[in-house]
Amino acid sequence: METKDAEIISGPEEALVSPDERMLGMLCVLSQFLSYFSGFGGLIVPLIIWLLKRDSSKFIDQVGKETVNFQITLLILAVIGAILCVILIGGLLLFLLGIYSIVTTIIAAVKANEGVVYRYPVCFRFIK
């Protein structure tokens, strides 16, 4: 029984991703929390990591693209929410957007640590 669980945990996609790539992918995803402290840091840091490592690692390329696309999507939705604050529904949208951002970022970080690329739901994919 234990060997079967071990086979499930370490699937074929994980064998292709090194521990360093997993750590860098997780760092790329978790850097999104910088947006809460510095504004655009959540977009700039993943963008830099992705641009520096996209040619040397397919995993970092995919995680970086997803993270940057998600941050751009959040930025667009936050601007829409800010505009809608005039009619009072924007505050609720911004609150829900913040909760959505935190939850999906944590899920993506766990997946990156497992060596799996997380596809964010409700994300415009500008960079393909």
Side-chain angles (χ1 to χ4, degrees):
M1 191 79 177
E2 291 179 23
T3 57
K4 186 175 182 182
D5 290 339
E7 290 171 4
I8 292 171
I9 292 171
S10 59
E13 70 277 349
E14 288 186 20
L16 301 174
V17 181
S18 74
D20 290 339
E21 289 174 318
R22 290 181 193 187
M23 184 60 74
L24 199 54
M26 190 173 69
L27 178 66
C28 184
V29 171
L30 288 176
S31 66
Q32 295 178 78
F33 286 125
L34 291 173
S35 291
Y36 295 107
F37 304 108
S38 66
F40 289 102
L43 175 63
I44 301 299
V45 174
L47 182 64
I48 291 170
I49 292 172
W50 174 62
L51 289 173
L52 291 175
K53 295 292 185 176
R54 67 181 173 181
D55 294 330
S56 62
S57 170
K58 183 178 179 183
F59 177 72
I60 299 298
D61 181 42
Q62 292 174 347
V63 169
K65 282 192 279 192
E66 281 296 314
T67 304
V68 170
N69 282 330
F70 184 63
Q71 282 298 302
I72 293 170
T73 300
L74 287 178
L75 181 64
I76 291 169
L77 293 176
V79 168
I80 291 170
I83 292 170
L84 290 177
C85 278
V86 173
I87 58 173
L88 301 176
I89 195 165
L92 177 63
L93 176 66
L94 291 174
F95 174 75
L96 293 175
L97 188 63
I99 298 296
Y100 171 73
S101 156
I102 291 169
V103 170
T104 55
T105 299
I106 291 171
I107 293 170
V110 170
K111 292 294 185 182
N113 192 36
E114 294 172 354
V116 178
V117 177
Y118 179 71
R119 303 264 307 170
Y120 293 93
V122 190
C123 179
F124 306 120
R125 296 202 164 63
F126 299 104
I127 304 169
K128 300 208 182 219

